[in-house]
Amino acid sequence: MKSKILLALLATATLAAGAHAQVKVEDAIKWRQSAYATMGWSMGRIKANVDGTYNKDEVVKAANVIQAIANSGMGALYVPGSDKGKGWAETRVKPELFTDGPKVGKIAGDFNQAANELAKVAATGDAAAVKTAFGKLGGTCKACHDDYRKDNK
Amino acid sequence: MNSKKIRVWDLPTRLFHWLLALAVIGLVATGKIGGNLIDWHGRIGLLVVGLVVFRLVWGLVGSTYARFATFFPTPGRIVSYLRGEWRGIGHNPLGALSVFALLGVLTVQLLTGLIANDDIAFVGPLYDLVGRDLSNLATGWHKLSVNVLIALVVLHLAAIMFYAHVKKDNLVKPMVRGWKDVPAGEPARGGGLPAVIFALLIALAAVFLASGAWLPEPPPPPAAVETPSW
């Protein structure tokens, strides 16, 4: 009995430690890339609905995904040392992202806000409002791509 | 000084020039702003495909001073111009260099733009032909070479100012009105309606090709495909 309690305590302690453990650089980059790819799927999904036949359900699902990722605290994945390295592929982040604190924070905040707004209007099913919010969100994606992501050469 | 009024720039050349100027402004603006305007970037880009192809054909079948053969900047012509011995009408040899450079960079922008993607939700109309890797590469070039385009436009404008203020030669008026007062020279000939129609048809065909409208239909909409409901 005692040993069982001890084991349980140990397991809890290990889990708790795990939650605070430093994210490995390779994992961090992989998760970042996966999150962006998933948002890419969702953006494409919304665009298909905005340009073609509008399906409220589809858009709600996609907008909720983006909102969830935007509010997941992805900043935690930009661990020191992850300005270079390979996840699923070589990261294209520019080192300035790690040093331009407030500017990056502003862009991230704009992105968050735009993602929340899109999810909100998606729930109403107003296609025109979704289109506007979608464009705004795309603009915040671009703001970061322009300044903090290397182009392919 | 004796001078006479002659026709220099035919109407198609002028229309091309001013439409292109507006389109390039629109393209740079929509490309830099992004968001939903990226759709317009794509549409205006297709228009420019038509304009540039029209101009390339017009350089062969247009009227005298619109023809590439008339103003092609050979080394001999450039040297003679720099010595102050050039007495031609239309694009002078340095201006001709600028014309070909602009058309060249625009062509690079068009070819890369047609297969580019913005990594958000927009892809060029011919993206499906090349796949992601080449598209990413083309997108990188597209963003890099737009700077060359902007630099050439600035140089173009600076040259016009230089001619207006230093050489007292207004280049803008002839590009608007088509005629110019010159001491001597022959008016532009050729480039009649059949030539216009010929160039327009080729330009339209180019726009059609660039639009990807001929590509096979995308797979049927999701509703028709059996996928799990979760």
Side-chain angles (χ1 to χ4, degrees):
Chain A
M1 189 67 201
K2 254 190 183 168
S3 65
K4 266 191 185 167
I5 295 174
L6 205 71
L7 258 177
L9 275 172
L10 230 138
T12 319
T14 318
L15 272 177
H20 292 283
Q22 185 64 288
V23 179
K24 269 199 278 176
V25 165
E26 188 194 340
D27 286 340
I29 298 175
K30 273 188 180 172
W31 287 327
R32 267 154 35 185
Q33 292 173 341
S34 298
Y36 292 124
T38 307
M39 288 195 283
W41 170 42
S42 306
M43 289 297 279
R45 227 173 160 185
I46 297 169
K47 181 161 176 79
N49 277 277
V50 168
D51 288 350
T53 355
Y54 191 85
N55 180 322
K56 182 187 165 188
D57 227 35
E58 280 276 305
V59 175
V60 168
K61 284 177 194 165
N64 286 348
V65 166
I66 297 170
Q67 184 186 34
I69 295 176
N71 290 288
S72 66
M74 266 185 77
L77 296 178
Y78 288 85
V79 291
S82 65
D83 55 333
K84 282 198 256 331
K86 205 170 163 178
W88 304 113
E90 203 64 37
T91 181
R92 285 164 68 192
V93 72
K94 285 186 185 168
E96 288 82 5
L97 182 133
F98 296 84
T99 51
D100 285 4
K103 212 180 132 198
V104 179
K106 160 105 177 51
I107 290 178
D110 290 347
F111 164 61
N112 252 25
Q113 229 170 34
N116 289 337
E117 175 66 18
L118 177 63
K120 202 174 93 190
V121 295
T124 68
D126 179 348
V130 164
K131 185 169 182 170
T132 309
F134 174 77
K136 281 218 178 105
L137 179 61
T140 67
C141 299
K142 179 174 158 53
C144 195
H145 291 180
D146 284 352
D147 289 350
Y148 298 111
R149 200 187 54 167
K150 291 178 207 147
D151 279 326
N152 293 285
K153 281 189 190 115
Chain B
M1 188 169 89
N2 274 338
S3 74
K4 58 178 182 175
K5 223 189 219 185
I6 65 161
R7 188 169 87 114
V8 185
W9 306 123
D10 54 51
L11 183 63
T13 302
R14 284 177 279 148
L15 276 178
F16 157 80
H17 175 269
W18 294 112
L19 283 175
L20 183 67
L22 287 177
V24 166
I25 292 169
L27 283 174
V28 171
T30 54
K32 297 284 177 200
I33 297 168
N36 280 337
L37 287 177
I38 197 69
D39 289 330
W40 280 100
H41 190 78
R43 288 178 198 132
I44 303 172
L46 281 182
L47 170 71
V48 174
V49 167
L51 287 172
V52 167
V53 169
F54 177 87
R55 185 63 185 90
L56 292 179
V57 178
W58 200 241
L60 303 175
V61 304
S63 74
T64 314
Y65 301 109
R67 292 194 184 206
F68 297 140
T70 309
F71 62 83
F72 194 81
T74 59
R77 285 178 183 171
I78 293 174
V79 169
S80 119
Y81 178 75
L82 292 175
R83 285 191 185 137
E85 292 160 2
W86 184 81
R87 293 285 174 270
I89 294 168
H91 294 300
N92 71 50
L94 286 189
L97 277 181
S98 156
V99 170
F100 283 108
L102 277 165
L103 285 173
V105 178
L106 278 170
T107 304
V108 170
Q109 286 305 89
L110 294 172
L111 292 177
T112 54
L114 288 173
I115 57 171
N117 73 83
D118 73 348
D119 241 353
I120 297 169
F122 176 85
V123 296
L126 300 184
Y127 168 86
D128 285 340
L129 286 180
V130 301
R132 196 75 186 176
D133 287 345
L134 187 53
S135 173
N136 281 344
L137 200 63
T139 306
W141 291 341
H142 194 73
K143 290 184 180 174
L144 210 61
S145 90
V146 68
N147 298 312
V148 181
L149 179 64
I150 293 172
L152 284 173
V153 170
V154 169
L155 183 67
H156 179 70
L157 297 175
I160 291 168
M161 302 279 260
F162 174 78
Y163 273 84
H165 295 289
V166 180
K167 302 191 85 172
K168 306 289 172 205
D169 187 2
N170 187 327
L171 300 180
V172 178
K173 268 191 197 166
M175 192 47 86
V176 174
R177 301 185 294 197
W179 51 264
K180 185 172 182 160
D181 287 317
V182 294
E186 291 299 310
R189 282 180 217 291
L193 191 60
V196 175
I197 292 171
F198 176 72
L200 268 183
L201 284 178
I202 294 184
L204 283 175
V207 173
F208 175 75
L209 281 180
S211 73
W214 50 277
L215 287 173
E217 281 291 304
V225 186
E226 277 302 318
T227 51
S229 58
W230 47 263

